[in-house]
Amino acid sequence: MEIGLFQFIGEILKKNIDISGVDSLAFLGVGDQNIKAIQESVDTQIVVRGDSILLDGKKKELQLIETVINEMMLVINQKGYIEPSEIHHYLSIISEGAFVETDNATEDLVVLHTHKGVVRARTNGQKQYLKAVNENDIVFAIGPAGTGKTYQAVAMGVFALKSKIVDRIIITRPAVEAGERLGFLPGDLKEKVDPYLTPLYDALNDMLPKEKLKEYLHHKIIEIAPLAYMRGRTLHNSFIILDEAQNATSMQMKMFLTRLGVTSKAIITGDITQIDLPINDKSGLIDATDVLKKIGGIAFVYFDEKDVVRHSLVKNIIKAYAKDGSKKKKVDTK
C-alpha cells in the first residue's frame, strides 16, 4: 500500500491514502457505513475518490485514521469483510495508545506471512508477547479471551516450522469442560476430544493451505492432542503450545513443562478467570506463576482488555466482569 506525503496548510494537513490493494466494496461497506464509522469519530474531512481516500484535518487525527485504514485493509484481506463495530473498536484502542501501527516501519512486528495475509502483533501486549517468545524458551501468556494468545502462539509456531527452526509443532490442551467428562461423551476417543481442539484447527487453517496442513497432520509434523497424551514423552526440536492451561492441574503442568527437550520452545496460554476444574483442584497455571516466576529463561506476559481484538463489546464485557470481581473481593475481605 502506498501512502502519500503530508501537505502542510497552516495547522491543517491533507493526505492521500491508496486503497487499491483491497476490495473497495468491502472497504466502504454497505451504504459507505465503514467510512461513516470513522467519520463520526473524527473532525477530519474524508473523501473517497476511486481507489484513493483524501483526508483533510489535523495531524494527530490523520495519523489515527491512517492506522485504522491500515488495519481495515489487513482484516478485509484476511476474512473478506469488516464490521463498523470493529472499526469503532480500533479507533478506541488506537486513541488510547494500546495499538501498534501496522505499516512498513513495523515489519519487525510481523509474526507470519500466510496465504490469507499477514499475522502481526497488533497491540502493545502482543508486541511484548512476540518479544518474549523470541528471547525465552518458555513463555506464559495470561489474559482474557480475544487477546490473541492462542492465535499468535500458533502463528509463531508455524513461522518456526517454516523457517526450519524446529522440526514439528505440538499443540495440546486439557480436555476439561464444566459438567462433562470424556467418558460420558459419545463416540471414540478422537470424536470425544476433537470438539476441544477445534479452535486450534481453525487457527492452523488460517495459516496454512489446506493440502499442506493435511500433509503436516498426516505425518505428525503438526500434532494436536489432549494434554494426557504428553505423559512419558520427550519433545526435542519442537514448538510446543499448551492452550487453556488454566484447566491443567499442578501435576499436569509439571508433567507438560518437563517434556521440553533440546532446542525446543514452549508457550503456555490461559485465562485464570475461566477455570473449569473441580473446586478442590488448584489450577496449574496459577501455581506456575508463583513457583516459576524467578527462573531465568521463563517469561510471563499479561494481557488485559486493551489487547482485545474481537468485537468491541468483548472489551467492555471483560472490564465489567473485572470490576464486579474486584467488588466481590472487597466484600469478602470485610
Side-chain angles (χ1 to χ4, degrees):
M1 181 180 69
E2 297 178 1
I3 299 175
L5 298 175
F6 286 115
Q7 296 177 339
F8 287 85
I9 304 177
E11 293 185 355
I12 302 300
L13 304 173
K14 291 183 180 291
K15 192 167 190 180
N16 177 39
I17 301 179
D18 178 14
I19 58 168
S20 60
V22 72
D23 180 80
S24 59
L25 291 177
F27 184 86
L28 297 175
V30 179
D32 293 344
Q33 62 180 355
N34 293 340
I35 296 299
K36 290 174 182 176
I38 302 175
Q39 185 68 80
E40 65 188 27
S41 300
V42 297
D43 293 326
T44 298
Q45 182 182 356
I46 304 174
V47 178
V48 180
R49 291 180 181 170
D51 289 332
S52 295
I53 293 182
L54 307 179
L55 305 179
D56 191 343
K58 294 183 178 179
K59 182 176 181 180
K60 187 174 181 179
E61 280 201 348
L62 265 60
Q63 291 173 333
L64 170 67
I65 295 168
E66 179 185 349
T67 305
V68 171
I69 288 174
N70 283 336
E71 189 60 25
M72 289 172 64
M73 294 179 70
L74 176 63
V75 171
I76 291 167
N77 281 329
Q78 286 180 338
K79 66 178 187 178
Y81 66 94
I82 190 167
E83 299 284 353
S85 59
E86 294 176 273
I87 298 169
H88 285 300
H89 176 55
Y90 294 138
L91 283 162
S92 173
I93 61 175
I94 293 167
S95 62
E96 290 174 5
F99 206 84
V100 178
E101 290 189 45
T102 55
D103 57 19
N104 293 333
T106 58
E107 188 65 23
D108 59 325
L109 302 181
V110 172
V111 180
L112 177 69
H113 291 275
T114 80
H115 63 298
K116 291 187 177 181
V118 178
V119 179
R120 296 179 186 267
R122 297 161 66 186
T123 70
N124 285 330
Q126 290 178 359
K127 180 180 178 181
Q128 293 170 16
Y129 188 19
L130 177 60
K131 185 173 186 289
V133 172
N134 287 336
E135 296 177 355
N136 298 273
D137 286 336
I138 297 177
V139 174
F140 287 80
I142 302 170
T147 50
K149 304 182 301 296
T150 301
Y151 197 85
Q152 188 171 329
V154 174
M156 290 187 283
V158 172
F159 172 80
L161 181 65
K162 283 185 169 183
S163 303
K164 302 189 184 302
I165 298 170
V166 297
D167 293 333
R168 58 181 172 165
I169 300 171
I170 312 290
I171 311 176
T172 184
R173 68 193 306 186
V176 175
E177 184 172 281
E180 284 189 351
R181 292 295 178 268
L182 291 179
F184 296 98
L185 296 176
D188 60 21
L189 185 58
K190 185 178 187 303
E191 290 171 328
K192 289 177 179 182
V193 300
D194 267 359
Y196 295 95
L197 307 176
T198 297
L200 305 173
Y201 287 110
D202 288 345
L204 287 167
N205 277 317
D206 280 350
M207 296 169 197
L208 290 165
K210 185 177 180 179
E211 289 304 314
K212 178 60 71 173
L213 176 57
K214 185 177 178 180
E215 176 189 339
Y216 282 161
L217 291 169
H218 176 72
H219 293 289
K220 293 195 173 182
I221 295 171
I222 295 178
E223 183 179 350
I224 306 176
L227 180 57
Y229 278 35
M230 297 299 106
R231 191 174 300 278
R233 303 178 65 180
T234 301
L235 304 172
H236 294 298
N237 203 29
S238 302
F239 198 103
I240 316 161
I241 300 168
L242 171 58
D243 190 37
E244 299 288 347
Q246 76 275 4
N247 288 328
T249 65
S250 296
M251 288 300 294
Q252 287 175 323
M253 180 64 73
K254 180 181 177 183
M255 179 273 290
F256 171 80
L257 292 172
T258 54
R259 300 308 93 200
L260 199 67
V262 178
T263 63
S264 289
K265 277 183 176 287
I267 297 179
I268 300 92
T269 73
D271 178 0
I272 58 176
T273 69
Q274 296 188 15
I275 297 172
D276 295 323
L277 290 169
I279 295 174
N280 294 329
D281 289 347
K282 184 177 181 181
S283 168
L285 181 59
I286 294 176
D287 192 39
T289 61
D290 297 327
V291 175
L292 305 176
K293 60 185 177 183
K294 294 183 179 180
I295 297 180
I298 299 178
F300 292 84
V301 179
Y302 294 89
F303 296 87
D304 59 28
E305 71 276 1
K306 291 181 180 178
D307 296 299
V308 171
V309 290
R310 289 184 183 170
H311 193 290
S312 56
L313 282 176
V314 174
K315 175 181 176 180
N316 296 329
I317 290 168
I318 291 167
K319 289 174 71 174
Y321 273 101
K323 185 177 180 181
D324 184 63
S326 63
K327 285 181 180 178
K328 288 178 180 176
K329 284 183 181 178
K330 288 179 181 179
V331 171
D332 292 339
T333 56
K334 288 182 180 178

